Amino acid sequence: MTRVIAVTNQKGGVGKTTTSVNLAASLAAMKRRVLLIDIDPQGNATTGIGLEKHGQQVSLTDVLLGDAHVSEILRKLPDSSLHVLPGSPDVTAAEVSLMTKERREYHLREALAPIRDNYDYILIDCPPSLNMLTVNALVAADGVLIPMQCEYYALEGLSALVGTIERIAQTANPDLQIMGLVRTMYDPRSNLSRDVSDQISVFFKDKVYNTSIPRNIRLAEAPSHGLSALDYDKSSRGALSYLALAAEMLRKDVSAAAGVNP
């Protein structure tokens, strides 16, 4: 059964795109059929996976506005089960145009419908804001994965994000739920990191993944080479952490399908 996951956090710089790219690559390495969608106008997931975000004749904007079929921009990475719907800077124009469209929040969901069942996991890298593009991602998704840096300001923004998710679940997508929070750039030596992590665990309980992602130079270097950390240095702490996160996600999904606690 396909899982569509919106990877989102309204706060920038928390490792959202890093998580989208490396979790997608890790799931693909585990022989899952994976689609990565870059709906962020910055297009960092696109370049970070080795694709060009400029000069596309047909783009995600055309798909969102109903002027092109999703298959026209679908790209498959060599020697991988990972497919990508690349982003582009002009997707900002799609956000503006969507405001005048009927059923404006459903466009991504409807565009994905013909290909959804071709994948085990669809990961959507969202903009660092709660705009119409993010709303489209949340309406298209089954679950929300929230990368979160363990610092004070991240906690402040989290409550607004949870409120948005709850409103969308009540109005446009009743199946939407928070599937998990992953701690990124985590330093267990920091008292602040540990304190914030404890607060998150008290509130979200078993929705907090046991796997945390450390600060790692290889994770920072990999995008400049157009590679996931797994392809750049598979023995690095960053790559191994995302493999562990993917494995934990798979275990949780199998347990949930079986109706037992992981």
Side-chain angles (χ1 to χ4, degrees):
M1 184 176 179
T2 306
R3 294 294 304 275
V4 182
I5 302 168
V7 184
T8 187
N9 191 323
Q10 69 184 62
K11 187 177 186 303
V14 298
K16 175 183 56 62
T17 297
T18 298
T19 295
S20 298
V21 168
N22 288 288
L23 182 56
S26 296
L27 289 167
M30 294 176 177
K31 308 302 182 185
R32 268 45 179 200
R33 300 167 301 164
V34 184
L35 173 62
L36 173 63
I37 302 174
D38 186 358
I39 203 171
D40 185 346
Q42 297 177 83
N44 290 335
T46 298
T47 56
I49 207 71
L51 299 177
E52 178 57 55
K53 66 180 178 181
H54 296 286
Q56 301 174 43
Q57 291 185 344
V58 180
S59 70
L60 186 58
T61 296
D62 300 304
V63 172
L64 288 172
L65 297 181
D67 298 326
H69 190 274
V70 67
S71 61
E72 296 181 55
I73 65 168
L74 193 63
R75 302 282 297 276
K76 182 181 184 300
L77 296 190
D79 305 316
S80 173
S81 60
L82 177 58
H83 290 72
V84 182
L85 288 182
S88 64
D90 70 353
V91 77
T92 301
E95 180 188 1
V96 175
S97 297
L98 282 172
M99 298 301 294
T100 64
K101 300 286 187 180
E102 293 184 4
R103 294 174 55 82
R104 59 193 179 190
E105 65 269 34
Y106 291 93
H107 280 233
L108 180 60
R109 180 175 186 147
E110 292 168 355
L112 292 178
I115 64 167
R116 175 184 169 118
D117 292 340
N118 296 341
Y119 300 97
D120 300 308
Y121 287 91
I122 298 176
L123 273 62
I124 308 172
D125 184 35
C126 300
S129 59
L130 298 177
N131 58 22
M132 183 51 61
L133 296 173
T134 302
V135 169
N136 262 260
L138 293 174
V139 171
D142 310 306
V144 182
L145 178 64
I146 306 174
M148 183 169 173
Q149 190 176 358
C150 290
E151 59 178 26
Y152 174 72
Y153 290 120
L155 273 180
E156 278 195 329
L158 187 58
S159 59
L161 176 59
V162 170
T164 298
I165 293 169
E166 290 175 346
R167 285 193 296 275
I168 290 177
Q170 291 167 1
T171 58
N173 183 5
D175 295 328
L176 185 67
Q177 58 182 312
I178 296 174
M179 64 176 293
L181 286 81
V182 57
R183 295 160 294 173
T184 57
M185 293 173 274
Y186 184 66
D187 183 359
R189 298 169 300 178
S190 163
N191 289 334
L192 178 60
S193 290
R194 292 197 303 272
D195 290 346
V196 173
S197 178
D198 289 343
Q199 291 181 56
I200 296 170
S201 297
V202 168
F203 188 78
F204 289 98
K205 300 182 174 60
D206 60 351
K207 289 189 181 294
V208 180
Y209 282 95
N210 293 323
T211 305
S212 59
I213 309 301
R215 289 188 181 274
N216 180 249
I217 188 63
R218 294 303 194 198
L219 279 177
E221 291 174 347
S224 66
H225 297 271
L227 297 169
S228 69
L230 191 60
D231 293 315
Y232 182 59
D233 184 353
K234 64 182 179 182
S235 63
S236 66
R237 290 178 63 220
L240 293 175
S241 295
Y242 277 109
L243 281 170
L245 178 63
E248 185 178 355
M249 179 180 289
L250 292 174
R251 288 195 302 272
K252 283 177 175 286
D253 287 349
V254 169
S255 298
V260 298
N261 290 324

